[in-house]
Amino acid sequence: MATSPRSDMATHPDILAMRERHEMAERTTSTPKAQAVETMALLAGLYLAASPWITGFNGFSTLAVNNLITGIAYALLMSGGFGRAYDRVHSMAWAACALSVWTIIAPWAVAGDVSTTKTIVNNVIVGIIGLLLALAAAAIGRPADREQSAAGRMSAPYAGGRG
C-alpha cells in the first residue's frame, strides 16, 4: 500500500507568514529609533495624565479628568505596541494622533471656562509632541519593504500539499 506524502505544518503558508511577521517585529523593536519613539511616547502620555497636578491647573476638574484619561489612553496605545501587536501599530498610531489632536483642542472644547494660558500652553505643547511621536510610530509601523515582501509572498505558490 502506497502512502501519499504528507505536508509538514512547518511549510504551511500561514505558519511561514506568522514567522515572517514575528521576525519583522523583532527587527523593528530592536532598533534604537523604535525604542526611542516608544519610550518618549510613554513619557508624553504619563506627563499628559499628570500635567494638571504638575502644571497646577487641577482646579479645572473637567480638563484635569480629560487629561488624565487621555494621557493614560495615549500611553497604553503607544507603549509596547511594536512588540505585542506589530500588525496593529499603524492603526494604534493613528488613534494616538487623534488623541493628540484632541489634547490640543481640549481646553476650548471641554465644559467650563478652562482656557487659561497655563492650560492652553500645556495642552498645545504636549499635543504637538504626542502628534509627532504618533506620526513617527506610524512611519515605523509601516515600512516600505514590508509591502513589497507581502506582495512577493502573495504571488508565490504553495509548494506543499498532498500529491
Side-chain angles (χ1 to χ4, degrees):
M1 182 169 151
T3 60
S4 63
R6 295 182 57 191
S7 71
D8 186 15
M9 279 301 290
T11 61
H12 192 277
D14 291 339
I15 301 293
L16 295 174
M18 284 191 321
R19 278 194 193 130
E20 183 181 330
R21 283 194 307 267
H22 180 70
E23 289 169 1
M24 193 180 334
E26 284 182 0
R27 283 191 305 270
T28 301
T29 57
S30 64
T31 64
K33 180 180 178 182
Q35 292 174 351
V37 168
E38 190 173 327
T39 301
M40 289 187 291
L42 175 66
L43 291 174
L46 293 176
Y47 173 79
L48 178 61
S51 66
W53 294 273
I54 294 171
T55 312
F57 61 87
N58 57 336
F60 301 121
S61 62
T62 55
L63 189 60
V65 170
N66 174 74
N67 280 13
L68 178 66
I69 293 170
T70 306
I72 291 170
Y74 184 87
L76 289 175
L77 275 175
M78 294 296 290
S79 67
F82 293 121
R84 293 190 193 117
Y86 181 76
D87 288 339
R88 296 185 200 113
V89 170
H90 193 70
S91 300
M92 291 166 36
W94 285 111
C97 285
L99 287 176
S100 298
V101 170
W102 169 252
T103 299
I104 294 170
I105 64 170
W108 298 282
V110 297
D113 186 24
V114 294
S115 58
T116 65
T117 303
K118 240 190 260 190
T119 61
I120 292 170
V121 169
N122 180 71
N123 277 32
V124 167
I125 290 173
V126 174
I128 289 171
I129 291 170
L131 184 62
L132 293 173
L133 290 170
L135 291 172
I140 292 170
R142 198 67 146 173
D145 61 335
R146 177 178 172 197
E147 293 171 7
Q148 291 172 355
S149 69
R153 185 177 64 242
M154 295 296 284
S155 62
Y158 173 53
R162 296 188 177 165

